[in-house]
Amino acid sequence: MKKITVIGGGGTGIMMAADLTMKGHDVTLFEMYEHAKKILEIKERGYVEVVGNAINGKAVIRKITTDISKAMANAEYILVSAIAQRQEELINLMIPYLQDGQVVCFSAGNCASIILKNKIKDKKVLVGEMQGNIYPCRMLENGTIISAFSYKEKGLAAFPAKDNNEYIKVMNEIYPCHAVKNVFEATLNSPNTSIHLAGSILGIAKMESMEDFRLYRDGITPSVVATIAAVEEEKALVMKKMDYTMGRAVGQMEAILEHEKHPELNIFIGLEGPSGVKHRYITEDAYVSNSLLLSIAKEFGIRTPIYEGLVAIASAVNHTDFYETGRTLRYFGLTGKKAEEINRYLETGEK
């Protein structure tokens, strides 16, 4: 049994806390008070019920709190699940209470581990992140949480990546995982980098004219799948330049087109969202992974017109320049460097 603190009161954080509780761990669930409605409802009820394709049952999470000092005290693992735009706020909240020997994991990471590690400097904390989100899940109206899939072994990377072996060893004690090259590879290989923005942008008209638009039920068509495949061809050029292993997500989208042959996808197809252009499928992915990939492409003269167009449209409909403000090479101070130099920084943490 491990002492684990989950930071984040959205569906994924609650699912993580419930799943780990039912697996026998001592779990604390934290959220800032202004975002804590869901977890306080669970605290009052006494349990959260998990249904779908995961361990089913009623999880009684040992501690649910809005007090960060109580949440962080004596935790062996701190698992952070929050939209990218909230990560730095939560990092700043955590830092005064981080203790030597603790392990921090972001899901999905989106390079948040770089931000945290650079802020804590020499504190002896293992920091890393998951390749993509840990569970595709949603909170239902009655306080039940539904998971489309059970946990599957994830690619993880530490920052700096020289800590990968130690990081994977300790993370394997709570989640089966394997190392990927570094946190850029983990971020760019998230399926969301290929699917969310392309699918959502092409579905805006339907999204804004339907009462209950669901991307995987209502927005995946042959032309959308063809666009996602083309996006992945652009992505492959960047991954090759950076010497990263390339994973592809278009196969699952092709399976959705023939969903009657794939009953295992039924819950996934029914997951709600995006509900509008301000949904995280657009605002988060344009801000982080898509802008990071686009910045690498621009740095090395790689043409990625579809990525560039998707980020531009996401910016236009939100009146926000996601590329200018996003997590790009410039954001991390890595412009003007060769691919090998960028990877060396991600390996060593030293510029």
Side-chain angles (χ1 to χ4, degrees):
M1 180 177 71
K2 299 297 182 181
K3 291 183 178 180
I4 302 169
T5 290
V6 176
I7 293 180
T12 303
I14 292 169
M15 179 66 201
M16 194 182 294
D19 189 43
L20 289 167
T21 293
M22 289 191 287
K23 289 174 178 174
H25 297 291
D26 181 349
V27 179
T28 295
L29 177 59
F30 166 84
E31 181 55 278
M32 297 170 64
Y33 182 77
E34 54 268 39
H35 299 286
K37 181 181 177 182
K38 292 177 183 177
I39 70 167
L40 293 177
E41 288 173 352
I42 293 168
K43 186 175 183 178
E44 184 176 351
R45 186 185 308 112
Y47 65 89
V48 58
E49 185 165 7
V50 180
V51 299
N53 297 324
I55 297 178
N56 285 195
K58 293 181 178 179
V60 180
I61 300 166
R62 187 184 68 83
K63 182 187 293 183
I64 295 176
T65 182
T66 59
D67 185 327
I68 189 64
S69 64
K70 292 179 180 178
M72 298 281 288
N74 302 315
E76 297 172 86
Y77 295 83
I78 295 128
L79 310 180
V80 185
S81 175
I83 190 169
Q85 285 88 339
R86 288 193 62 215
Q87 286 174 333
E88 191 158 5
E89 176 183 36
L90 291 170
I91 285 169
N92 290 337
L93 204 61
M94 291 162 51
I95 285 174
Y97 305 100
L98 274 174
Q99 304 164 29
D100 287 352
Q102 290 180 317
V103 179
V104 179
C105 182
F106 294 89
S107 169
N110 291 315
C111 301
S113 55
I114 301 177
I115 299 169
L116 174 58
K117 196 69 174 182
N118 283 335
K119 283 176 178 280
I120 62 175
K121 302 297 181 185
D122 297 328
K123 194 170 282 190
K124 296 178 181 177
V125 176
L126 280 173
V127 178
E129 55 192 68
M130 289 189 177
Q131 182 172 288
N133 206 356
I134 187 166
Y135 309 98
C137 60
R138 296 290 188 276
M139 287 295 299
L140 304 180
E141 288 183 2
N142 60 1
T144 301
I145 190 161
I146 187 168
S147 181
F149 305 119
S150 59
Y151 176 81
K152 297 178 182 178
E153 181 176 313
K154 288 281 185 184
L156 271 70
F159 181 77
K162 65 183 181 181
D163 293 338
N164 267 359
N165 288 341
E166 185 180 3
Y167 191 67
I168 295 301
K169 181 180 178 181
V170 296
M171 284 300 299
N172 261 314
E173 296 187 33
I174 58 171
Y175 285 119
C177 57
H178 60 271
V180 299
K181 185 166 186 172
N182 56 45
V183 295
F184 273 18
E185 182 177 302
T187 293
L188 298 178
N189 253 339
S190 168
N192 299 348
T193 307
S194 302
I195 298 168
H196 279 181
L197 201 55
S200 299
I201 293 294
L202 291 176
I204 283 177
K206 187 179 283 189
M207 185 193 307
E208 294 186 335
S209 59
M210 284 183 66
E211 213 167 279
D212 182 29
F213 176 79
R214 303 191 179 204
L215 175 61
Y216 301 112
R217 183 190 68 189
D218 307 312
I220 300 301
T221 67
S223 293
V224 171
V225 172
T227 303
I228 292 169
V231 160
E232 293 203 317
E233 289 306 310
E234 291 186 353
K235 176 177 165 180
L237 299 175
V238 173
M239 300 296 274
K240 182 178 180 180
K241 176 64 181 178
M242 298 302 296
D243 193 27
Y244 296 161
T245 299
M246 168 80 175
R248 293 181 184 264
V250 70
Q252 190 177 55
M253 299 302 101
E254 291 169 340
I256 287 174
L257 293 178
E258 300 182 309
H259 63 270
E260 67 280 354
K261 298 180 183 178
H262 299 278
E264 73 279 5
L265 294 176
N266 285 346
I267 295 176
F268 180 72
I269 290 170
L271 294 177
E272 67 179 4
S275 53
V277 297
K278 296 190 182 303
H279 191 276
R280 63 181 176 84
Y281 277 21
I282 295 177
T283 59
E284 181 177 36
D285 290 284
Y287 170 72
V288 284
S289 57
N290 283 258
S291 281
L292 176 62
L293 186 141
L294 183 57
S295 73
I296 296 171
K298 287 175 177 289
E299 186 73 20
F300 298 114
I302 300 169
R303 291 190 68 253
T304 52
I306 304 174
Y307 268 106
E308 189 161 6
L310 291 171
V311 173
I313 294 169
S315 298
V317 298
N318 279 285
H319 309 287
T320 300
D321 190 334
F322 289 115
Y323 185 77
E324 184 66 24
T325 61
R327 292 184 190 167
T328 60
L329 289 180
R330 187 181 70 176
Y331 178 94
F332 294 111
L334 295 172
T335 53
K337 295 185 179 295
K338 298 177 181 178
E340 296 80 6
E341 293 173 321
I342 293 170
N343 284 333
R344 190 177 308 120
Y345 167 67
L346 297 172
E347 172 70 25
T348 65
E350 298 175 2
K351 292 182 181 177

